[in-house]
Amino acid sequence: MNTPKPPDPVATANTQQQYNLNAAKTQQELNQYNQSNPFGSTTYTQTGTNADGTPQYTVNTAFSAPEQKLFEGYTKNQQGAQDAAARLMASGQGAFSGTGPDLSYNGTAASLDALNRARLDPQWSQATDQQESKLAAQGITPGTPAYDNAMRVFNQGKNDAYNSANLADYQTAANAALAQYNSPLASYQTLMNGTAPTNPTTGNVSTPTTNVASTNYAGLAEQNYQQQVAQNNAMMGGIFGTLGTVGGAVLGGPMGASLGGSLGSSMGGLFGGGGGGLASGSAFNSPNMNSSYYGPLN
């Protein structure tokens, strides 16, 4: 009788690995389904095979026609902003000049003069007309010493007014010069970071995941082996139990029954079964059975 052989661990592992690969391929194929919506589409295409035989896929994402147009406009605007920023940097203006701003009084004199002239010139132009009309009404005409003296005093007051305004407005002029100095840098930062539209997206929904469990081949192989071992032990126990019973019957008598029962129990128990000697009620202990050597068998 053949004893069951245990599963080959290498063969079992290789078979289990194949089941795992098949389950993984099925799971991948179930999860990779094509999608589309008003924003775009996502498709999967097998483009090759790995060394272990598993498939290689490429995922392709495409915008819908309106979204594609937005994307192209976004890219064009972004490139244009970068080009403008590069030209601004190369211009050498303000913060790109390589030198800091001159915020001294002399450095801001032109700014101060421009600020105050815009405010004071109209006032003093009107005051000059009034002064000349006043002198003319008094009979003082241009070119006379009286006219020159009167106008000299008038112009000194005008200059004092401008100087006082310049001194009072220095901080304003300094701030204006600093803002002018930083203006190219602020424009550059805006071009690089703040003017591009939002990049469109395909807006695909999330893909649910399907899990496919692999067959537990190794566990099934081990379970089958254990069942075969149990069946074999039960069969061997029954055979040896019967042999013990027969041996006890041949010896006969109480001793034979005892020895047969012990032998049957021991051998039968060794293989998972049990059997006792036929001490009574057995065909081998019938009163009609005799042995020429041992005498009556009962």
Side-chain angles (χ1 to χ4, degrees), residues 17 25 32 76 78 80 86-87 91 96 131 140 157-158 170 174 181 183 190 193 197 201 203 250-251 276 283 286 298:
Q17 178 66 13
K25 289 167 60 178
Q32 291 181 340
K76 183 178 180 179
Q78 191 77 347
R87 290 193 298 270
S91 68
F96 297 114
Q131 174 71 3
I140 302 174
K158 177 181 177 181
Y170 165 73
Y181 177 83
S183 178
T190 299
N193 302 321
T201 62
V250 172
L251 293 175
S286 173
N298 55 347

Side-chain angles (χ1 to χ4, degrees), residues 134 251 292:
K134 178 182 177 181
L251 293 175
S292 59

Side-chain angles (χ1 to χ4, degrees), residues 31-36 40-47 57-62 202 204:
N31 292 334
Q32 291 181 340
Y33 60 87
N34 298 335
Q35 302 179 70
S36 63
S41 62
T42 299
T43 58
Y44 298 89
T45 306
Q46 183 176 353
T47 54
Y57 287 88
T58 298
V59 58
N60 299 298
T61 302
T202 56
N204 286 344

